[in-house]
Amino acid sequence: MINMNVQLLLVFTLFILSASAQKYTISGYVVDRNTGEKLIGTAIFEKNAGQGTTSNTYGFYSLTLPEDSVNIIFHFVGYSAVLKRFHLHKDIVLNIEMEPSLDLTEVEINVDDYERIEQQSTMSTIKIPVEQIKALPALLGEVDVLKALQLLPGVQSGVEGTSGFYVRGGGPDQNLILLDGTPVYNANHLFGFFSVFNADAINSVELIKGGFPARYGGRLSSVIDINLKEGNMKKYQGSGSIGIVASKLTLEGPIIKDKSSFIVSARRTYIDVLLQPFIRYALNQGSGTKAGYYFYDLNAKINYKFSDKDRLYLSLYTGDDKFYFRLRQNPYLYDGVLYENKLEQEMGWGNVTSALRWNHKINKKLFSNTGITYSRYNFSVSDYREEVVTDTAMTRNIFSLKYLSGIEDWAGKVDFDYVPNPKHYLKFGIHGIYHTFRPGASTLIIQNPGITDIDSTSGAEDVYATEYSTYIEDDIKFTKRLKGNLGVHYSGFYVNSKLYQSLQPRIALRYLIGKSWAIKASYSTMEQYIHLLTNTSIGLPTDLWVPSTENIKPQSAQQVALGIAKTFKKNIQLSIEGYYKNMDNILEYSDGATFLNNNEEWDTKVEVGKGWSYGGEFFLQKKTGNTTGWIGYTLSWTNRQFDNINFGKIYPYKYDRRHDISVVFSHLINDRWAIAGTWVYGTGNAITLPIATYTGFANDTYYGLYGAVEYYENKNDYRMASYHRMDFSAKYKFLLFKQLDSEMIMGVYNLYNRKNPLYYYFGYDAFDNKALKRVSLFPFIPSLSLNFKF
Amino acid sequence: MKLLKYVLSLFFIAMIGCETNEDIVDFPLHKSRLVINCSFSETKFWTVHISKSLSVIDNAPLSAVEDAVVKIFEDGVLLTKPTYFVDGFYISFTDTPIIGKKYSITVSAPGFESVFASDSLPVAVPISSISMVVTDSAFYTGHLGEIVGYLNAEASIVFDDPANQENAYVIAAFRVDTIYSFDSTSWNLMNRPLFLESTDLNVETRYGETIILSDELINGQTYEVTFTFQDSFEGVNKPKAIHYIFILRSLSPQYYLYERTYGLFSTRIPDPFSEPVQVYNNIENGFGIFGGYSESSDTIMIQ
């Protein structure tokens, strides 16, 4: 009994000592030594206490530990690990500069490394290093972030070659694409064949498919969080590339060394310039004719570091696509009267996003980010005709028609990171967005001396809406084995005197089994107040963002996921997850509806229904070393049900893809040569085809017409041929003009020339027999691009 | 400069490569089935059209079946066997359907699987009242001395939807006139149909000249449907009086689904981006419609 009491006394004493032990906080920023660029998601781990954290979106970290000798390791993929040993006896600021590890050799990671997948409480989250994205083979040599994401399990691509993607059975509008925290509404150039993101200007890319942390909201299926680079704080540098389709140039450098920097990155296609003579020839027009297509995008960012506590960022993205046709006829005389004609037709679309953010380190444990953001997407078609008639006097006849649709957001937000101790990492904040929806309006101007001038606007009126949200989440370490990310997201949407509100709990748990296995589970509910009207699978600029209305309620989803995670030797990470997601109030175009019919209000040609998706995902990834890459496999089922589609019966979603496989690798052969390859396989898309025709009967009170009816057994019950393709690229490094670090990238898209289906239609064969025809777009396509740095 | 030439050469190689490629795909051949088209009402003799379906990749034209055996049953008892008349029509000149009875049909023909369908007549819904206002009209003399004119009107029909009966309505209107229509064999005198439009939220849509609405939201209510139309005139003299006939047709649920989807199919915009339309089919082992309706009508004259 005495022995027992002594033991209890000892335990109590230890507890008191432990509780009373003084704790201090180590905080600071982690940046790249050469450029000063922040390193987002750096793993920071103190070995003695077994505690760790990660740097946030701004490179900031905070770790509170008891007074003792500390042994902290900082690790970031592609960088040499940094180890710091010292005695912690007061709060300290420890800013870390990390050196890029040029050869990318494996860093032997401590088993307790905080970055390891099994250590993280979040699940269904994948980060791909930008350098790895750049190493992948690309269509026509254009590196594309969104197409790289399509190679991940749980993410399905849409039409071949386009950057549209569908996450865990969700629609294309259910992906929240954030560029420096600002939503991008149309991430496509050239109908989706290229995305708007210029990889040269990107710092980090993260995809979240489920188990959403409470800080995110507004979309049902995924978050793609893209952060732009900030610009080199140390020295001026530039990089560029010349490709088949477009060229890019990036400049960055310090405005004030170690205090302020800038980065400007621009890209433009030159098809229109190169092909102008051919276009004129094809159109059989003279030199007064210009026609073509181009897109450009520009990323710019400046930041200013007032002190270790305050930093200001201003970032801008702008990009446009434009098709144009301009005709200026030579003046001609007819019956003594001089005529001059001008015609200008254009179709254009583009995004502008801008963010002004202020980072403030309130104290060693509390960090804030306050921002104002602006985002706009516009689509316009214009037709301008002018005729100048000179007789005794000059008269000018003008006809101008312009159609405009789009969406515009002004938003403000305040986010806080609070790290009270290593067991808690709190994030909380408040966001507000003021939306202006332009569902489509036409302006007609006619000026003709013979008639009364017309200047009128018709079409749908602008709709204004306010969306707001607040959240709190805590990354909690309950025990050494059990960790969780618990949070709640509350949001509201006010439109046309109608208020929608939603409280969304978010839970993600991780339980360690042994040293390197973890079981993970998550539950999340999501609410989405805006909808995208689209009945094409490609990113057409005519896709229309519309708000929830009194008749069209917000979309909502619930998702549960369960999985295991493990890191093997050589930092090979494995994750296997199963998920189930249901979605309510999702939209589909009604039977027979088409976006080309602008005579009807948008909400009269849509149906509201439900969707389900469930399946499993396997992901084996290697991020470091000379050989990197991943293998992804998804087995999934995705269905839809609408009362007025398919007679209310459940049918497969068009991107219901039973099997989806991707194999991605890149290998550094030596200092000069590197190779990369991808192979993808996917079950064919589900489409609706008629199987028979028969005589129909309209017992019309007048005509009693008979016409052929096409019989569709069920919606989406025909499978296109499976999709598979292999791409390959080789990169050769050399000195251009004996001084520029350069890379020549030779790539092949669709190496074995697979004729993958783009779409099917009924036509005729060579003998005039009716037949089903498959159209494929991209055969074997070589590409060549040149990258250089200075 | 050499580099530019090289890049340009590759560009054109790539563009040539991007040309679309078309292949013929094996498509399962659909086995031909019997097609029944029969809408029945107490005002008509039993008239059934029988034809056969074709695979969507069959080159042959759609054709009628002339050697079918058609049987109509009333409450499960054989009522009549319509006989072949012409152009795929089978007619029984002795019987008409009765409200309240359940009718079924079986059709068999050599080389085809027998088909079956059943439906009932909904209760006739009389037009309680009807009103019409001419909102605009004009007449003038054309180039050849003919009288040309138009008339815009707003009309409404009131009816009592029967409670506890699931049905739907088609509303049609005609000007009592004589126009000539050609139906491939002869010239016929017919009334002139009017194209109706309505902003009533219960009116789902209009197909052709009629409007259609379900009783889902108005079941058991007295309901007034308002619609507009434009009528046009061309003749030797300005008409002294104009008669309009308004028809209210009550459809069985099955026939309503067919009318709605077939109308949608017939009026869809055939662009590559339009969603496909599935036409309702209530024929077991076959295709088509076997649906009942009842109708009432009223006439208005304006001077």
Side-chain angles (χ1 to χ4, degrees), chain A residues 94-227:
Chain A
L94 185 63
N95 293 330
I96 299 294
E97 293 187 339
M98 298 183 73
E99 187 83 44
S101 177
L102 294 175
D103 57 2
L104 290 175
T105 47
E106 281 96 345
V107 176
E108 201 55 51
I109 307 297
N110 185 293
V111 287
D112 294 321
D113 193 312
Y114 206 70
E115 193 201 31
R116 298 173 67 138
I117 188 170
E118 64 271 20
Q119 292 288 343
Q120 296 156 15
S121 57
T122 53
M123 65 184 301
S124 310
T125 300
I126 302 174
K127 290 176 186 170
I128 315 179
V130 174
E131 289 309 315
Q132 197 169 16
I133 292 173
K134 285 181 171 179
L136 298 178
L139 174 62
L140 296 170
E142 276 299 304
V143 173
D144 197 311
V145 172
L146 296 186
K147 285 181 189 165
L149 295 181
Q150 291 173 349
L151 299 169
L152 299 173
V155 182
Q156 265 106 47
S157 57
V159 169
E160 180 181 22
T162 66
S163 53
F165 59 99
Y166 303 79
V167 180
R168 289 185 171 174
D173 58 338
Q174 294 173 1
N175 306 312
L176 176 63
I177 302 176
L178 294 172
L179 185 64
D180 265 354
T182 312
V184 176
Y185 284 100
N186 187 324
N188 300 304
H189 283 308
L190 189 57
F191 308 122
F193 289 115
F194 304 102
S195 80
V196 299
F197 304 111
N198 178 351
D200 288 351
I202 291 173
N203 181 335
S204 69
V205 180
E206 184 178 49
L207 167 73
I208 305 171
K209 302 176 286 183
F212 298 96
R215 60 186 178 275
Y216 296 112
R219 301 290 189 281
L220 300 191
S221 291
S222 79
V223 177
I224 295 97
D225 200 352
I226 298 172
N227 282 286

Side-chain angles (χ1 to χ4, degrees), chain A residues 667-680:
Chain A
H667 179 66
L668 200 63
I669 298 171
N670 54 38
D671 288 347
R672 287 188 174 274
W673 283 97
I675 56 170
T678 58
W679 182 76
V680 291

Side-chain angles (χ1 to χ4, degrees), chain B residues 66-87:
Chain B
E66 300 176 357
D67 55 354
V69 176
V70 182
K71 295 177 183 172
I72 307 281
F73 297 85
E74 186 179 78
D75 286 337
V77 178
L78 181 64
L79 175 70
T80 184
K81 290 169 73 175
T83 52
Y84 186 72
F85 185 63
V86 68
D87 288 342

Side-chain angles (χ1 to χ4, degrees), chain B residues 264-292:
Chain B
L264 191 56
F265 177 85
S266 307
T267 56
R268 76 197 187 285
I269 298 170
D271 73 56
F273 303 113
S274 67
E275 296 293 322
V277 179
Q278 289 173 275
V279 176
Y280 179 75
N281 168 39
N282 72 343
I283 312 296
E284 281 182 30
N285 303 325
F287 299 123
I289 181 65
F290 180 72

Side-chain angles (χ1 to χ4, degrees), chain B residues 16 28 41 47 67 88 99 104 144 159 181 189 219-220 234 238 264 271 284 291 298 302:
Chain B
I16 290 162
S41 120
T47 305
D67 55 354
I99 290 170
S104 52
L144 304 172
F159 59 89
S181 169
L189 289 171
N219 194 31
E234 188 176 334
K238 183 182 171 184
L264 191 56
D271 73 56
E284 281 182 30
D298 204 346
I302 60 167

Side-chain angles (χ1 to χ4, degrees), chain B residues 13-295:
Chain B
I13 291 169
M15 288 299 107
I16 290 162
C18 282
E19 280 184 6
T20 56
N21 187 292
E22 290 190 356
D23 291 304
I24 303 292
V25 178
D26 283 339
F27 190 68
L29 213 57
H30 156 82
K31 192 184 173 204
S32 189
R33 296 185 205 170
L34 288 171
V35 179
I36 297 176
N37 279 306
C38 173
S39 67
F40 55 93
S41 120
E42 57 182 345
T43 58
K44 289 199 308 189
F45 289 120
W46 283 102
T47 305
V48 183
H49 187 266
I50 306 294
S51 57
K52 63 179 182 181
S53 67
L54 294 174
S55 169
V56 75
I57 53 172
D58 197 323
N59 275 10
L62 291 169
S63 59
V65 174
E66 300 176 357
D67 55 354
V69 176
V70 182
K71 295 177 183 172
I72 307 281
F73 297 85
E74 186 179 78
D75 286 337
V77 178
L78 181 64
L79 175 70
T80 184
K81 290 169 73 175
T83 52
Y84 186 72
F85 185 63
V86 68
D87 288 342
F89 283 100
Y90 292 73
I91 302 178
S92 165
F93 289 103
T94 55
D95 300 283
T96 55
I98 300 166
I99 290 170
K101 304 280 187 184
K102 185 179 178 184
Y103 293 94
S104 52
I105 184 171
T106 61
V107 178
S108 55
F112 294 95
E113 199 173 351
S114 295
V115 297
F116 169 84
S118 66
D119 200 13
S120 304
L121 284 182
V123 173
V125 178
I127 296 172
S128 307
S129 67
I130 190 162
S131 62
M132 186 177 130
V133 177
V134 176
T135 53
D136 184 22
S137 68
F139 288 89
Y140 54 92
T141 306
H143 295 297
L144 304 172
E146 79 281 18
I147 302 298
V148 180
Y150 71 90
L151 176 153
N152 290 328
E154 183 178 284
S156 60
I157 285 177
V158 180
F159 59 89
D160 295 316
D161 178 72
N164 307 320
Q165 178 180 279
E166 194 186 339
N167 65 324
Y169 299 94
V170 163
I171 297 172
F174 304 89
R175 169 151 58 88
V176 180
D177 196 2
T178 50
I179 62 165
Y180 291 91
S181 169
F182 191 64
D183 70 355
S184 79
T185 54
S186 61
W187 291 94
N188 295 317
L189 289 171
M190 301 185 85
N191 287 331
R192 183 188 291 272
L194 301 167
F195 284 76
L196 310 185
E197 289 185 357
S198 177
T199 55
D200 188 319
L201 292 176
N202 283 315
V203 170
E204 289 176 52
T205 184
R206 58 173 285 276
Y207 306 114
E209 62 269 26
T210 60
I211 59 176
I212 189 166
L213 71 158
S214 152
D215 77 339
E216 192 179 346
L217 298 174
I218 61 169
N219 194 31
Q221 297 176 23
T222 297
Y223 197 72
E224 179 175 7
V225 185
T226 303
F227 49 88
T228 58
F229 61 85
Q230 184 178 64
D231 195 6
S232 59
F233 304 88
E234 188 176 334
V236 180
N237 299 306
K238 183 182 171 184
K240 290 178 181 171
I242 308 169
H243 290 81
Y244 289 104
I245 300 174
F246 295 90
I247 292 176
L248 178 66
R249 180 179 287 177
S250 172
L251 312 180
S252 73
Q254 292 190 76
Y255 193 34
Y256 157 69
L257 273 176
Y258 178 82
E259 280 278 293
R260 189 167 71 84
T261 54
Y262 181 71
L264 191 56
F265 177 85
S266 307
T267 56
R268 76 197 187 285
I269 298 170
D271 73 56
F273 303 113
S274 67
E275 296 293 322
V277 179
Q278 289 173 275
V279 176
Y280 179 75
N281 168 39
N282 72 343
I283 312 296
E284 281 182 30
N285 303 325
F287 299 123
I289 181 65
F290 180 72
Y293 69 92
S294 304
E295 69 180 28

Side-chain angles (χ1 to χ4, degrees), chain A residues 140 243-244 271 274-275 278 535-536 540 589-597 644 646-647 688-703 706-715 718 744 755 760-762 765 768-779 781-782 784 786, chain B residues 3 6-8 10-14 17-27 30 35 37 39 44 49 51 53-59 62 89 172 174 179 181 190-191 193 209-210 247 249 255 258-262 264-265 268-269 271 273-281 287-289 293:
Chain A
L140 296 170
I244 287 175
I271 307 167
L274 295 177
L275 294 185
F278 301 98
N535 61 354
T536 65
L540 275 185
Y589 267 112
S590 309
D591 278 2
T594 171
F595 75 93
L596 293 179
N597 180 7
N644 290 323
N646 202 37
F647 301 108
T688 311
L689 288 179
I691 59 168
T693 58
Y694 64 90
T695 305
F697 175 55
N699 187 11
D700 209 86
T701 44
Y702 177 63
Y703 291 112
Y706 293 85
V709 173
E710 287 174 341
Y711 177 71
Y712 301 89
E713 188 101 47
N714 279 302
K715 190 170 173 74
Y718 184 85
M744 183 68 81
K755 289 177 182 173
Y760 287 72
Y761 75 100
F762 287 102
D765 64 14
D768 267 353
N769 293 315
K770 282 184 191 168
L772 180 63
K773 297 183 116 174
R774 175 180 61 200
V775 177
S776 32
L777 186 59
F778 294 118
I781 301 175
L784 184 75
L786 174 74
Chain B
L3 180 69
Y6 192 49
V7 169
L8 280 174
L10 273 172
F11 174 81
F12 286 112
I13 291 169
C18 282
E19 280 184 6
T20 56
N21 187 292
E22 290 190 356
D23 291 304
I24 303 292
V25 178
D26 283 339
F27 190 68
H30 156 82
V35 179
N37 279 306
S39 67
K44 289 199 308 189
H49 187 266
S51 57
S53 67
L54 294 174
S55 169
V56 75
I57 53 172
D58 197 323
N59 275 10
L62 291 169
F89 283 100
F174 304 89
I179 62 165
S181 169
M190 301 185 85
N191 287 331
E209 62 269 26
T210 60
I247 292 176
R249 180 179 287 177
Y255 193 34
Y258 178 82
E259 280 278 293
R260 189 167 71 84
T261 54
Y262 181 71
L264 191 56
F265 177 85
R268 76 197 187 285
I269 298 170
D271 73 56
F273 303 113
S274 67
E275 296 293 322
V277 179
Q278 289 173 275
V279 176
Y280 179 75
N281 168 39
F287 299 123
I289 181 65
Y293 69 92

